Amino acid sequence: MTVDPRIQRYSAAFSPQVIHEIHRAADQGLYEIRGFGAKRHLPSFDDLVFLGASVSRYPLEGYREKCATDVVLGTRFAKKPIHLKIPITIAGMSFGALGANAKEAIGRAATLMGTSTTTGDGGMTEEERQSSKTLVYQVLPSRYGMNPDDLRRADAIEVVVGQGAKPGGGGMLLGQKITERVAKMRTLPVGIDQRSASRHPDWTGPDDLTIKIQEIREITDWEKPIYVKVGATRTRYDVALAVKAGADVVVVDGMQGGTAATQDVFIEHVGIPTLPAVRLAVEALQELDMHRKVQLIVSGGIRSGADVAKALALGADAVAIGSATMVALGCNKPVYIEDYHALGVEPGSCHHCHTGRCPVGVTTQDPELQKRLKPEQGARWLRNYLTVMTLEMQTVARACGKSHVHNLEPEDLVALTVEAAAMAKVPLAGTDWIPGTR
Amino acid sequence: MITVDLDHSSVRDLNERLHRLPPETNEKAWRIVNPKGAHALCAGLSVPIEVVIDGHPGYYCAGMNKEASIVVNGHCGVGLAENMMSGEVRVKGNASDAAGATGRGGLLVIEGDAGLRCGISMKGIDIVVGGSVGHMSAFMAQGGSLVVCGDAGSSLGDSIYEARLYIQGKVESLGADCVEKKMTPHHLAKLERLLARAGIEADPRRFKRYGSARRLYNFHVDHADAY
């Protein structure tokens, strides 16, 4: 009997992918661990559009009138705030998760663009300090590689409470990526599955965090801006508490944010999207009269200049990009196809950062694979990409009549869906209706 | 000896003064009085000086200490000598939670008791406690040695990596993957040296050694109930 494909009725609840996952779980007895970010559809900046100028507003000339993009971070307490040329920063990605060439390429590109890059859960490498003019040093629960000299060599310090891909969870780096150098930096045996703590070892709760920040400021003689990074969940409270704890900058990472490795259930089912998170964070800052005094960096699924412009219009001071940075370096590029196939994926759907077998040499510690990413080439790609994002952002801002990208405002936006209107608190397009306001 | 009275000087001024000392400084002996629970006292020192604190500091006293020798004639708050790099910190009284957390080197001596999570995530520091330690001490301890002359609270050494734990008294319970190990002559000699360096009189032969069973180093479904 022949099988007629037209009458194959698949269950919506038990789709082929769900069935495959159940079979995999039954076979392996372990939850799926993977890299990259959420793959499910989520309300996002795609659901917002700008209201360009017309009769009631007039635009700036695209090629003649200036549209500035600079941003200063850390103006609240730090003696030495950092001044960036563009409001697009590079998110924390560890040496370990990324190879040394990728870290170097990122540092070079960020420096050329006048922006900052960020260490990650593995300490600071000499390569990234040398290649990054402005380097943000993360203080994570694991404290791998933590030392006072690197704190003082950093340009800013980010206390990581959580990240969007796994709010409430610790980092994870599987054994195949724990090479001798990575192990030494993290004081761990080679080849073990590294499980970072989900909580900081020496503080619990916002009152302790206040004192922890005070200690870091004392060690660095109050010079460095101190960021507090949270995964987006109870964003209003978390931002308010970070401000109360003394942060100069708050970083809010939505659930589209990527990771080098964590449980799929975490990536897809914990946290809230970036879209509502940015609005909640801004409201918290405004309630405390700290909007623009404590700067807000938003991350999680930022891919284009349009995304940056929308985040800024909703009230962010800057954004951070992680996954998009990796993609610019070649992640999921259709080259070395046979190596993607060896991982069981096609280019475009790869999330095998956790395996260390990255076909394009970005998320690997394998010396041969790393050779596929040359730092100079990677830096050029990322620089190009950041330039395009900046041009796109300026294009949108000029169209809205803004001489600085920070002059974008919620009034420049409308939503295409009821969900996005409710989450971002901007009107549904063609109406003056913001769900939940009346 | 230079005396700084924190009734008349701020922690900020003191720390900045200490941070500016060059390694070859002649100002090698300091005495701090009236700490009155001040936080981050002597945090981030990085030159070989000797500091005596008379009184009770708050959180993160001697945090990230490097090379300095600090003696506290009192009790200490949370995070004493956290992420210590080198040098020596000695507390004549008790220490609160997370003493020596993530410490990478040097010697921390607590002559009294230590609270919860003593030596949490330690990465090479040696900690000697004259009294007892609380719950979850040496949690995720990666390297170094924790010596406890008294008792240890529950879940000692949970998810421990390569740190060595020497406990003289009772252990309320061991954490995941932490097991009692044989006290070899090598370990006995090391423990004897540690006790001598700490200036604490105890018979090494009365201690038991604990460390990692290394069963959780790589994920395996049959160990899922241990997490």
Side-chain angles (χ1 to χ4, degrees), chain B residues 151-203:
Chain B
D151 303 330
S154 59
S155 299
L156 175 74
D158 193 282
S159 303
I160 188 172
Y161 293 100
E162 293 296 305
R164 294 164 178 174
L165 315 181
Y166 303 95
I167 313 295
Q168 180 172 232
K170 286 182 298 184
V171 173
E172 191 174 334
S173 66
L174 294 174
D177 215 26
C178 185
V179 293
E180 185 178 342
K181 295 194 157 188
K182 188 180 175 189
M183 183 75 93
T184 66
H186 164 76
H187 294 110
L188 209 55
K190 181 173 171 59
L191 175 58
E192 193 167 10
R193 284 196 300 274
L194 270 173
L195 288 165
R197 276 174 67 202
I200 289 182
E201 282 188 23
D203 182 354

Side-chain angles (χ1 to χ4, degrees), chain B residues 82-173:
Chain B
E82 66 86 20
N83 210 80
M84 178 162 148
M85 305 295 294
S86 60
E88 183 174 324
V89 174
R90 178 181 296 273
V91 177
K92 300 281 189 177
N94 303 321
S96 183
D97 301 343
T102 77
R104 316 181 77 82
L107 176 65
L108 170 62
V109 182
I110 299 160
E111 295 188 2
D113 298 323
L116 312 181
R117 303 185 298 277
C118 179
I120 181 172
S121 212
M122 54 194 279
K123 294 170 168 57
I125 189 175
D126 290 321
I127 304 173
V128 181
V129 181
S132 300
V133 296
H135 168 71
M136 292 291 270
S137 287
F139 173 56
M140 295 183 92
Q142 294 174 229
S145 298
L146 171 64
V147 179
V148 179
C149 298
D151 303 330
S154 59
S155 299
L156 175 74
D158 193 282
S159 303
I160 188 172
Y161 293 100
E162 293 296 305
R164 294 164 178 174
L165 315 181
Y166 303 95
I167 313 295
Q168 180 172 232
K170 286 182 298 184
V171 173
E172 191 174 334
S173 66

Side-chain angles (χ1 to χ4, degrees), chain A residues 130-398:
Chain A
Q130 293 305 320
S131 60
S132 307
K133 179 174 178 289
T134 307
L135 181 60
V136 183
Y137 185 44
Q138 289 192 323
V139 177
L140 292 122
S142 67
R143 307 282 168 86
Y144 294 137
M146 172 59 53
N147 68 81
D149 299 327
D150 285 344
L151 270 180
R152 291 175 177 130
R153 290 205 299 165
D155 299 288
I157 293 157
E158 182 171 286
V159 179
V160 180
V161 180
Q163 69 180 92
K166 49 187 177 212
M172 189 181 276
L173 198 65
L174 300 187
Q176 52 266 44
K177 294 180 83 170
I178 307 286
T179 62
E180 208 161 303
R181 185 179 178 196
V182 173
K184 190 176 177 192
M185 283 182 70
R186 299 181 185 221
T187 327
L188 288 170
V190 173
I192 70 158
D193 292 334
Q194 170 253 294
R195 298 156 285 146
S196 298
S198 59
R199 297 197 308 261
H200 280 260
D202 56 351
W203 64 269
T204 49
D207 294 331
D208 283 6
L209 175 58
T210 307
I211 306 170
K212 184 68 194 174
I213 289 175
Q214 182 189 340
E215 185 210 11
I216 297 170
R217 289 200 193 279
E218 282 297 323
I219 291 171
T220 56
D221 290 316
W222 289 71
E223 289 183 352
K224 320 289 180 186
I226 296 186
Y227 304 3
V228 173
K229 177 176 179 176
V230 293
T233 52
R234 296 173 181 85
T235 304
R236 184 191 298 274
Y237 302 121
D238 289 339
V239 169
L241 290 169
V243 171
K244 184 233 169 219
D248 292 303
V249 176
V250 179
V251 183
V252 175
D253 192 23
M255 74 176 288
Q256 294 100 321
T259 176
T262 200
Q263 298 92 329
D264 178 82
V265 68
F266 236 136
I267 299 172
E268 300 288 358
H269 297 282
V270 183
I272 63 171
T274 305
L275 184 65
V278 59
R279 192 262 304 167
L280 288 164
V282 171
E283 285 180 356
L285 291 168
Q286 288 170 335
E287 283 168 12
L288 297 166
D289 192 26
M290 294 303 267
H291 189 217
R292 306 296 188 204
K293 298 171 188 166
V294 169
Q295 286 79 41
L296 173 66
I297 299 177
V298 168
S299 56
I302 305 282
R303 306 146 301 171
S304 65
D307 286 347
V308 182
K310 289 168 187 175
L312 298 188
L314 289 174
D317 294 276
V319 302
I321 56 168
S323 299
T325 299
M326 295 202 308
V327 174
L329 294 178
C331 165
N332 271 298
K333 198 174 230 179
V335 291
Y336 306 108
I337 306 291
E338 65 284 4
D339 289 342
Y340 284 100
H341 289 171
L343 293 166
V345 292
E346 293 288 351
S349 68
C350 184
H351 56 222
H352 283 267
C353 320
H354 60 296
T355 64
R357 303 305 304 161
C358 177
V360 293
V362 176
T363 58
T364 181
Q365 297 297 318
D366 183 298
E368 290 305 312
L369 290 173
Q370 282 199 66
K371 285 179 187 168
R372 296 178 179 181
L373 178 67
K374 295 180 173 53
E376 306 81 13
Q377 177 65 74
R380 183 73 232 186
W381 285 333
L382 182 54
R383 180 189 177 191
N384 286 347
Y385 172 60
L386 289 168
T387 302
V388 169
M389 290 181 90
T390 304
L391 290 170
E392 288 175 342
M393 175 177 53
Q394 288 173 306
T395 299
V396 169
R398 285 193 182 100

Side-chain angles (χ1 to χ4, degrees), chain A residues 53-184:
Chain A
S54 181
V55 178
S56 58
R57 302 277 201 288
Y58 62 89
L60 298 188
E61 284 293 349
Y63 296 97
R64 291 175 181 79
E65 291 180 290
K66 190 171 176 59
C67 178
T69 60
D70 63 315
V71 62
V72 181
L73 300 171
T75 53
R76 187 185 185 192
F77 291 123
K79 286 182 192 169
K80 296 181 178 175
I82 59 175
H83 193 165
L84 305 179
K85 287 184 184 169
I86 57 171
I88 309 166
T89 66
I90 308 298
M93 290 175 282
S94 74
F95 172 74
L98 266 56
N101 285 2
K103 289 296 276 182
E104 185 180 340
I106 290 169
R108 288 183 184 211
T111 299
L112 289 167
M113 292 301 294
T115 190
S116 61
T117 183
T118 311
T119 57
D121 195 4
M124 182 190 292
T125 67
E126 199 55 37
E127 293 99 314
E128 72 178 333
R129 178 61 281 186
Q130 293 305 320
S131 60
S132 307
K133 179 174 178 289
T134 307
L135 181 60
V136 183
Y137 185 44
Q138 289 192 323
V139 177
L140 292 122
S142 67
R143 307 282 168 86
Y144 294 137
M146 172 59 53
N147 68 81
D149 299 327
D150 285 344
L151 270 180
R152 291 175 177 130
R153 290 205 299 165
D155 299 288
I157 293 157
E158 182 171 286
V159 179
V160 180
V161 180
Q163 69 180 92
K166 49 187 177 212
M172 189 181 276
L173 198 65
L174 300 187
Q176 52 266 44
K177 294 180 83 170
I178 307 286
T179 62
E180 208 161 303
R181 185 179 178 196
V182 173
K184 190 176 177 192

